[in-house]
Amino acid sequence: MTQPGLEGKHMTQKTFAAFAFAFGCLAALTGVARAEDAAGDAALGEKVFNKCRPCHMIGETAKNSVGPVLNGVIGRKAGIYEGYNYSEANKGSGLTWDEATFREYIHAPQAKVKGTKMVFAGITNDTDVSNLIAYLKSYDAAGKKTP
Ligand code: HEC
């Protein structure tokens, strides 16, 4: 003897469980996507880097040009890339380009390092800067793509 009422309730619980599972997965996926946002997107950062290309090179064959090579620049001390003729302002800044310092600098280079010869207005959009940082970090100090 089946009791339609009970069977119906049983199905509802199953359906509910399935929905709960689906929502759980969605929430987890959204969480991952958000974490990536915060860390920046290197592919989008490559487009931001087009603003730097007139003066900076990056990658295994990069050479100093108007500005120094930017391989491994995040975490690098200011003014130390070999063979580049830095301004006294940059060399004597005592800065290390950790993410927070780089962020301030690229927001307004001439405000952060008074007298720098980097003539660049700056990038004010925080998402653009996060993506740019992710792109810069995708190269190691030798200009190799990091895995
Ligand atoms: C018009 C040319 C120009 C543009 C555009 C430019 N830079 Fe520069 N950059 C320079 C010059 C020149 C220096 C050397 C500054 C000095 O010695 O005072 C420099 C220095 C730097 C430094 C310090 C490096 C070190 O070794 O201390 C960083 C970091 C940097 N630039 C990042 C960037 C990024 C990222 C962009 C793009 C968003 C950019 N720059 C755009 C010319 C430029």
Side-chain angles (χ1 to χ4, degrees):
M1 274 264 275
T2 42
Q3 293 176 291
L6 268 183
E7 184 63 19
K9 195 177 173 202
H10 184 67
M11 288 304 288
T12 307
Q13 279 171 344
K14 257 191 172 165
T15 312
F16 177 77
F19 271 117
F21 179 72
F23 277 120
C25 291
L26 254 179
L29 281 171
T30 316
V32 169
R34 265 198 229 106
E36 271 169 9
D37 275 358
D41 180 322
L44 294 176
E46 186 170 7
K47 297 206 178 73
V48 182
F49 189 73
N50 285 336
K51 294 184 175 169
C52 323
R53 279 190 205 283
C55 304
H56 290 284
M57 293 172 78
I58 196 163
E60 285 182 84
T61 58
K63 299 212 165 27
N64 291 324
S65 59
V66 179
V69 170
L70 291 183
N71 291 335
V73 74
I74 300 299
R76 194 167 93 190
K77 278 176 72 177
I80 62 159
Y81 195 86
E82 219 183 301
Y84 183 78
N85 186 23
Y86 287 96
S87 68
E88 287 305 321
N90 178 298
K91 242 190 323 193
S93 68
L95 297 174
T96 294
W97 304 120
D98 57 53
E99 286 190 31
T101 305
F102 174 81
R103 205 172 261 284
E104 275 180 42
Y105 175 69
I106 213 64
H107 188 86
Q110 281 152 330
K112 181 73 181 165
V113 178
K114 286 193 180 61
T116 180
K117 60 177 183 174
M118 168 151 146
V119 183
F120 180 68
I123 298 176
T124 48
N125 183 299
D126 282 336
T127 308
D128 282 355
V129 175
S130 296
N131 293 339
L132 176 63
I133 290 172
Y135 177 71
L136 292 171
K137 282 167 73 176
S138 73
Y139 290 90
D140 67 14
K144 286 208 166 61
K145 274 280 191 183
T146 52

